[in-house]
Amino acid sequence: MIRCTALCTAGALAALLLAAPSAMRVTAAQEFDFDFDKPAPPKLTGIELGVQVYRPELGNCQLCHGWNGNGGRQFEDLAGRTYDPGPPLTESTMTREEMIEIIACGKLGTSIMPQYLENAWKPEHPCWGKTAAEVPDGERAGLWGAPLYLDEIEAVVLWIQTAYQGKQMSLEHCLLYFGPESRGCDTLRK
Ligand code: HEC
């Protein structure tokens, strides 16, 4: 049974028209059994979105800055060149705006801090007054994986400033990072 709104009905009709043999029509209609009235799961916001961005599945910030914000290990590429690891975010003195900017743009020079905002370095979002065209190849880290939206960058800064910057890791934040069932935070239980 197809349950749908007008949009879905149009889609189902299109699917039926596209499927030429009559046997296939039934299959196409059955495969279209999708409930458009069911609300999508709510998108995370605030600190819960921020910690999700920080973890491996989205921004993968932990790779260079450590799950607890204490900093990463030195990187070596295949040619044996070494790169400075991410600095401890627990010791960062940056403001919220400065953090948003470095996460959006990455860094100039040999630093491996990647760019995360897709439009950074374009005329609509110059970085340190420059666009990509004004920076020679290899002199900025650039996009490293999938880009983040601005609200995701703002959320990860909220996470950094709440859980790491100038802070000791708390049980509450550890459980937010690893999940409520995790034993990884047991040493923080009093
Ligand atoms: C590939 C390694 C790498 C990844 C991944 C990475 N960073 Fe960085 N990050 C760095 C390095 C290296 C620096 C130091 C940049 C410099 O000043 O030269 C840095 C600097 C920073 C700073 C500035 C800290 C300070 O006070 O100087 C912030 C904030 C930051 N990163 C946040 C993030 C966030 C959030 C993510 C994920 C969305 C992330 N980083 C992913 C390597 C990384």
Side-chain angles (χ1 to χ4, degrees), residues 53-54 58-65 75 83-89 91-94 98-100 102-103 106-108 110-114 116 144 148 153 156-157 160 165:
V53 170
Y54 196 88
L58 259 184
N60 203 10
C61 318
Q62 52 82 41
L63 179 70
C64 297
H65 294 286
F75 275 81
Y83 299 88
D84 282 341
L89 299 173
E91 291 167 23
S92 177
T93 55
M94 284 191 179
E98 288 168 337
M99 284 195 185
I100 290 175
I102 194 173
I103 299 165
K107 276 286 277 200
L108 275 177
T110 54
S111 169
I112 49 174
M113 172 64 198
Y116 279 95
W144 190 72
L148 298 173
I153 294 179
V156 79
V157 169
I160 292 169
Q165 192 176 26

